Amino acid sequence: QVHLVESGGGLVQPGGSLRLSCVASTSFGGVWTAGWYRQAPGKQREWVAGIFGDGSSQHAEAVRGRFAISTDNAKKTMFLQMNSLKPEDTAVYLCYIGTTPTTWGQGTQVTVTS
């Protein structure tokens, strides 16, 4: 049983930055995929960024160049650095790891508003 807990969300003005953290109850070692989704009110869950088994990372077009996913396996933590935030980035951000079935965190709220 793996549990994920997100933190780091909050309210920020457009152009600001936040760093989200996702702490796992077990090591990321042996996990081939992990990443972040987000869900805004009234919208479907949207994939944001992921790390894959070949060591690569990818980011959704909407956040590419502004967000960066990373991990610290020793600390069992995954991060999402979010820069140049826009109002349309407002959502609940959820982390996941590629267990079978997928393990999801509870989410952390990010609100971008002036």
Side-chain angles (χ1 to χ4, degrees), residues 39-109:
Q39 187 162 19
K43 297 183 178 180
Q44 291 188 341
R45 188 171 294 178
E46 175 188 21
W47 178 79
V48 174
I51 297 172
F52 302 91
D54 62 357
S56 66
S57 63
Q58 295 185 27
H59 300 76
E61 184 202 4
V63 307
R64 199 171 300 146
R66 300 187 297 117
F67 292 9
I69 188 172
S70 63
T71 60
D72 184 337
N73 288 349
K75 297 181 179 179
K76 300 180 291 185
T77 304
M78 176 168 57
F79 303 98
L80 185 68
Q81 178 66 47
M82 305 186 296
N83 299 323
S84 301
L85 282 161
K86 304 175 180 179
E88 51 263 44
D89 296 319
T90 296
V92 173
Y93 284 72
L94 305 99
C95 62
Y96 69 90
I97 58 174
T99 53
T100 303
T102 301
T103 299
W104 296 92
Q106 291 294 115
T108 185
Q109 176 71 48

Side-chain angles (χ1 to χ4, degrees), residues 1-7 21-28 31 33-36 76-78 93-99 101-108:
Q1 294 176 326
V2 180
H3 297 92
L4 302 176
V5 179
E6 300 97 335
S7 64
S21 299
C22 172
V23 180
S25 60
T26 61
S27 174
F28 284 105
V31 176
T33 63
W36 295 86
K76 300 180 291 185
T77 304
M78 176 168 57
Y93 284 72
L94 305 99
C95 62
Y96 69 90
I97 58 174
T99 53
T102 301
T103 299
W104 296 92
Q106 291 294 115
T108 185

